[in-house]
Amino acid sequence: MNERRNRQISGVVGAFLVLIAAALLLLSAPFLEAPVEFGQALVFGLAGVSDIVAATDTRLTNRWAWYQWSGLGNILLGLAFPLTFADNGLLLLLVVTAVGGLSLVIMGVDMLVYHGQYTREKRLDRNGV
């Protein structure tokens, strides 16, 4: 896949995550009654915003490359998944979503810190990208 396609996908995923966050905030109990749900919605929203930033050319993408913003979005998304089962007492589902979330966090750290060196064939910060 080329950079343009990856950025388009990042934008679509980001918009979807922002919509999920908005729905969670509208449908959840007030903040003081359900702080974990509020926190999850907030993290989903931040993940979506990071992916939207990755899809656009702004001053933010001049500071960090698009794939670093996408990596940050992956990290936040990976952290948000286990929050679904944090209060439910469903330990098995909490563990399963935590393992899945951890894989997203690891891939996100690779993109953010190591420029995709371990999850891509070549580092994304090389010339010509």
Side-chain angles (χ1 to χ4, degrees):
M1 270 195 203
N2 62 18
E3 175 184 337
R4 184 170 156 242
R5 174 65 66 183
N6 286 334
R7 292 182 80 173
Q8 289 172 340
I9 291 170
S10 186
V12 170
V13 169
F16 182 70
L17 290 174
V18 168
L19 287 174
I20 287 175
L24 286 172
L25 288 173
L26 290 173
L27 299 175
S28 69
F31 167 67
L32 293 176
E33 293 178 22
V36 174
E37 289 177 14
F38 180 80
Q40 182 185 32
L42 184 65
V43 176
F44 269 127
L46 291 172
V49 168
S50 294
D51 280 334
I52 290 170
V53 169
T56 59
D57 286 320
T58 64
R59 289 188 308 211
L60 294 173
T61 52
N62 289 337
R63 300 196 88 184
W64 283 2
W66 70 270
Y67 55 84
Q68 290 175 301
W69 285 102
S70 181
L72 178 61
N74 282 346
I75 292 169
L76 293 168
L77 184 59
L79 295 174
F81 279 140
L83 294 176
T84 304
F85 301 105
D87 273 353
N88 296 356
L90 301 170
L91 184 60
L92 178 63
L93 291 175
L94 176 63
V95 170
V96 168
T97 56
V99 169
L102 181 61
S103 65
L104 280 171
V105 169
I106 290 169
M107 288 188 295
V109 167
D110 178 52
M111 298 292 282
L112 180 62
V113 178
Y114 301 106
H115 306 279
Q117 177 176 345
Y118 300 106
T119 57
R120 305 285 176 124
E121 287 182 20
K122 297 178 183 174
R123 286 176 57 111
L124 294 171
D125 63 341
R126 69 188 193 285
N127 291 335
V129 173

